[in-house]
Amino acid sequence: MTSTRASKSDPIKKDQPPLLAVHNEDIALAFDEIADLLALTGENPFRIRAYRRAAQVVRSLPQELAPRIAAGFDPDLLPGIGADLANKIRELVSSGHFLKLDQLRRSVPAGLRELLALPGIGPQRARALHTALNIQNLSDLRHALASHQVRKVAGFGAKSEARLQQALDQTTLRPSRIPRHIARQYGEAITHYLTSLTGVTQVTLAGSYRRGCETVGDLDIVMCADRELDLSSALSRYSETSSSLVTGPTRCTILLRCGLQVDIRLVPPESYGAALYYFTGSKAHNIHVRRLASSSGLKINEYGVYRGRTRIAGDSEISVFSAVGLPFIEAELREDRGEIAAGLAGNLPALIERSQLLGDLHVHTGRTDGTATIDAMSEAAQRAGLQYIAITDHAKHIGLLHGLDATALTRQIDEIDAYNASQNQLTVLKGIEADVLADGTLSLPDHILKQLDLVVAAVHDHFDLPRRKQTDRLLRMLDNRYISILAHPSTRLLTQRNGIDCNWNEIFLRAAQRPCYLELNSQPSRLDLDDIQVREAAAQGILISIASDAHGITDFANLDYGLIQGRRGWLTSTQVLNTRPLTQLRKLLRNTFL
DNA sequence: GCCGTTTTCGGCCCGACTGTTTTCAGTCG
């Protein structure tokens, strides 16, 4: 199958189980495609939902399924995966194919799936277009629209034609998901505008933004007012509104000029908590909690929690949780990744908070590609509430001409010693960001590295090595006793570059044994490791360094992004390296040198 | 297709809005 990143030329070694590299994402994509194709054939919607849920479950797994199955793990044990889907997963892992998917692909035109991405087109209407006009793809739809055939199909009219035409004209303009820090700018601006409206008492950004997702597809806003409010006309007056897609009295959807869609819900004050809870999601979390509620005779909607017709909760989120027997669950955890069971069992983690971060172990200066001096960065760090930072400028490497060589690094070590001697407000640790070369060795010799308080290692090139080579590269790097932290481990850039292909299970295992710590890089365009990897690494006992990778004095604010990502990875303060007081931190860093 | 204090069948989260119809199916979140 095309979505399987497998190479038939990979040699099959003895005692090496994987025949084909089938990743969790490959399984999830296949299940998603089956769900779409089943929907297009008019299948039982609950059967379709089972495939979609299975895709979500597999996608959220911290470990690759294929090697676990090879080691005897039964996928039937996963929630939402029964005997049938377990067999399908085994089939894909062992053969690289889904017979079921191959059959569906033969019976449903491939291009029909494209239509599902259009607004207002779901499986029923896509089928109607196919049946009535033999439309098989977007190109066919374009032609049918041009000759006004679409309005002749039952259920379609002139407005449908116009909306579809507009959508086709805009398909290349609409952004897909955008990074959280960019969504934030638009979200804060519209929140500010809505708050300024007469009578408005509360406005909150909900949805994936509130859950702290690294990218968001649209913005969800929940608001309430103490008097009647003409929401749609207020939104039409907003300076950034490009068009209105939905204009009801309690629900509006607009498109901003930047292309971002915003959904706004207006609810009465007594329903604010229920609405905020509902529109924060995630969908999977909501469905799970609603099922939990219905098992005790309760119904949850965006207006409250109901027993029969009696409303028993809803003014605050905590009242909703309490009504169904749950403690408050932080928004970052609401992904249906075990938080509901943990809540019921009283095992929810006490998530890391910003005030608990005492230092920052990845900071640059103007000596390499930063913009400020050691003094200036230190002052900025103090203003950010930190007690220590590590200066980790780049080591000289063929790809980075301005990196520090041994001489320049020695000079910087002296500078830092002098700075620390000159004040006692904040401690500056001596570090370096060394490149991991293609063969897993470092760009500086050991006798230089051992003079430092810590060594941060990072991959900056050779992103496309095959999985085995890339994994071996990092494993060899981990053999170097002077490395303290692996920085931005996957090297991904959000929405721009995928991470390196690597067996993270092996890396985590080795890192935990050594020990070597892993960074959660807080640059909003990196957020690397991701939430699932963070959770898995921490579960294996690896301490996580939440680091700003600051290149200038304002960049310590990045820590907030890393913090939220860490919370999504269920991190508690004890699982984070830079919550440690300096003396304890020094011991932990020396451990890596053993 | 999954699942069980409703356990091998019969349920499966819930409501707002739209467009095309004259009471609602489909889509969306």
Side-chain angles (χ1 to χ4, degrees):
Chain A
M1 53 181 290
T2 52
S3 62
T4 303
R5 281 168 250 146
S7 166
K8 287 180 180 171
S9 62
D10 279 350
I12 300 171
K13 299 174 190 169
K14 277 186 180 175
D15 305 316
Q16 292 281 325
L19 298 168
L20 296 157
V22 176
H23 301 293
N24 292 351
E25 182 63 17
D26 299 321
I27 300 169
L29 286 171
F31 280 157
D32 276 335
E33 187 177 351
I34 290 178
D36 279 350
L37 297 178
L38 286 175
L40 286 167
T41 60
E43 252 290 357
N44 172 4
F46 296 106
R47 193 166 166 230
I48 296 163
R49 184 186 295 172
Y51 277 100
R52 294 206 193 283
R53 172 159 159 72
Q56 183 242 337
V57 166
V58 172
R59 191 169 271 128
S60 293
L61 289 175
Q63 295 181 329
E64 292 276 26
L65 256 184
R68 289 176 72 193
I69 290 172
F73 176 74
D74 182 359
D76 192 359
L77 296 171
L78 296 170
I81 310 275
D84 184 89
L85 290 179
N87 280 332
K88 287 196 167 66
I89 292 174
R90 286 196 201 92
E91 180 193 353
L92 182 60
V93 165
S94 61
S95 72
H97 282 272
F98 266 155
L99 194 58
K100 173 90 182 168
L101 181 55
D102 295 342
Q103 288 168 343
L104 278 167
R105 281 176 175 166
R106 281 195 291 273
S107 64
V108 182
L112 216 49
R113 226 183 143 209
E114 301 168 1
L115 269 55
L116 296 178
L118 294 170
I121 298 292
Q124 307 303 326
R125 282 159 69 84
R127 282 174 68 205
L129 289 171
H130 177 58
T131 309
L133 301 174
N134 195 30
I135 286 173
Q136 305 207 4
N137 50 44
L138 288 178
S139 171
D140 290 349
L141 180 61
R142 266 183 228 280
H143 289 113
L145 284 168
S147 55
H148 293 298
Q149 294 297 305
V150 170
R151 66 179 64 183
K152 296 176 184 166
V153 181
F156 288 79
K159 282 196 174 179
S160 303
E161 270 194 357
R163 193 175 176 202
L164 285 172
Q165 187 63 59
Q166 191 185 14
L168 286 178
D169 293 343
Q170 289 178 341
T171 37
T172 53
L173 299 176
R174 280 292 306 278
S176 49
R177 296 185 71 83
I178 60 174
R180 171 183 176 74
H181 68 291
I182 296 173
R184 178 181 173 180
Q185 300 166 19
Y186 297 105
E188 289 185 346
I190 190 169
T191 300
H192 184 257
Y193 170 74
L194 292 170
T195 308
S196 74
L197 298 173
T198 308
V200 169
T201 54
Q202 277 181 293
V203 182
T204 307
L205 278 167
S208 56
Y209 183 85
R210 182 162 180 252
R211 298 200 310 279
C213 294
E214 57 198 26
T215 62
V216 302
D218 62 12
L219 290 174
D220 295 284
I221 292 177
V222 179
M223 58 186 292
C224 61
D226 60 10
R227 68 192 72 176
E228 199 158 307
L229 179 71
D230 185 349
L231 182 60
S232 61
S233 100
L235 286 167
S236 69
R237 292 195 304 273
Y238 181 52
S239 61
E240 295 193 42
T241 300
S242 148
S243 62
S244 292
L245 303 178
V246 176
T247 54
T250 67
R251 180 185 158 198
C252 289
T253 299
I254 60 168
L255 212 51
L256 298 179
R257 282 188 282 113
C258 66
L260 191 62
Q261 183 173 309
V262 189
D263 297 316
I264 304 105
R265 293 296 295 252
L266 178 64
V267 295
E270 66 271 20
S271 295
Y272 195 65
L276 181 58
Y277 176 61
Y278 184 63
F279 292 105
T280 295
S282 66
K283 189 174 180 177
H285 170 93
N286 283 353
I287 289 175
H288 193 152
V289 171
R290 284 181 180 209
R291 289 177 65 177
L292 183 69
S294 71
S295 71
S296 48
L298 299 173
K299 185 179 78 167
I300 305 179
N301 60 27
E302 55 263 59
Y303 299 107
V305 183
Y306 296 83
R307 174 168 279 120
R309 291 188 173 181
T310 311
R311 189 169 166 285
I312 62 166
D315 59 331
S316 67
E317 279 195 320
I318 202 159
S319 76
V320 175
F321 282 116
S322 167
V324 296
L326 282 167
F328 183 81
I329 298 176
E330 302 279 3
E332 294 95 329
L333 297 183
R334 301 179 199 168
E335 298 289 348
D336 197 20
R337 294 177 184 161
E339 73 280 7
I340 295 164
L344 290 171
N347 290 332
L348 281 170
L351 296 182
I352 174 95
E353 294 185 11
R354 175 63 180 82
S355 60
Q356 294 174 312
L357 295 184
L358 302 185
D360 187 342
L361 301 177
H362 189 162
V363 175
H364 294 272
T365 74
R367 285 275 179 230
T368 57
D369 58 348
T371 58
T373 61
I374 293 173
D375 290 35
M377 293 305 279
S378 301
E379 283 170 24
Q382 284 176 63
R383 286 195 297 275
L386 303 179
Q387 299 173 8
Y388 55 83
I389 59 172
I391 298 296
T392 54
D393 272 319
H394 291 279
K396 192 174 178 69
H397 172 48
I398 204 157
L400 187 76
L401 295 175
H402 300 298
L404 303 183
D405 59 16
T407 312
L409 182 56
T410 307
R411 200 181 311 135
Q412 191 179 61
I413 288 172
D414 293 341
E415 271 182 63
I416 292 172
D417 284 338
Y419 179 79
N420 282 333
S422 72
Q423 53 82 51
N424 55 11
Q425 301 293 307
L426 176 139
T427 301
V428 177
L429 298 170
K430 292 165 284 195
I432 192 80
E433 179 175 358
D435 294 284
V436 180
L437 305 182
D439 63 359
T441 60
L442 290 195
S443 56
L444 278 176
D446 288 358
H447 73 272
I448 301 287
L449 300 180
K450 68 196 288 188
Q451 299 175 39
L452 299 164
D453 294 313
L454 80 166
V455 174
V456 171
V459 168
H460 289 115
D461 56 17
H462 293 88
F463 302 123
D464 295 329
L465 293 182
R467 187 180 176 84
R468 189 64 256 165
K469 275 195 172 176
Q470 196 71 269
T471 307
D472 288 341
R473 174 192 192 183
L474 291 187
L475 289 174
R476 179 161 184 206
M477 180 273 298
L478 285 170
D479 282 341
N480 186 314
R481 58 198 289 222
Y482 296 111
I483 290 173
S484 326
I485 298 170
L486 175 58
H488 45 75
S490 88
T491 75
R492 70 168 182 174
L493 293 177
L494 279 178
T495 73
Q496 292 173 49
R497 183 175 73 206
N498 289 332
I500 52 176
D501 188 13
C502 192
N503 185 339
W504 293 107
N505 292 336
E506 287 185 51
I507 304 301
F508 291 172
L509 198 62
R510 183 73 63 86
Q513 286 168 344
R514 261 211 47 195
C516 172
Y517 311 119
L518 294 180
E519 180 181 274
L520 195 183
N521 190 290
S522 304
Q523 282 193 20
S525 58
R526 286 193 185 271
L527 292 174
D528 178 9
L529 301 164
D530 73 24
D531 50 358
I532 293 173
Q533 291 171 319
V534 163
R535 187 174 173 189
E536 178 60 19
Q540 295 201 22
I542 301 168
L543 289 175
I544 305 294
S545 165
I546 298 180
S548 70
D549 197 357
H551 284 67
I553 58 171
T554 59
D555 290 346
F556 292 104
N558 287 347
L559 287 172
D560 288 334
Y561 291 105
L563 183 86
I564 290 173
Q565 181 92 330
R567 288 166 62 90
R568 287 181 57 78
W570 291 51
L571 286 186
T572 65
S573 68
T574 55
Q575 294 173 317
V576 176
L577 180 63
N578 48 316
T579 58
R580 302 298 201 275
L582 189 59
T583 46
Q584 204 182 338
L585 176 84
R586 284 190 187 278
K587 279 186 194 166
L588 286 165
L589 291 175
R590 273 199 298 276
N591 281 349
T592 69
F593 280 27
L594 296 177

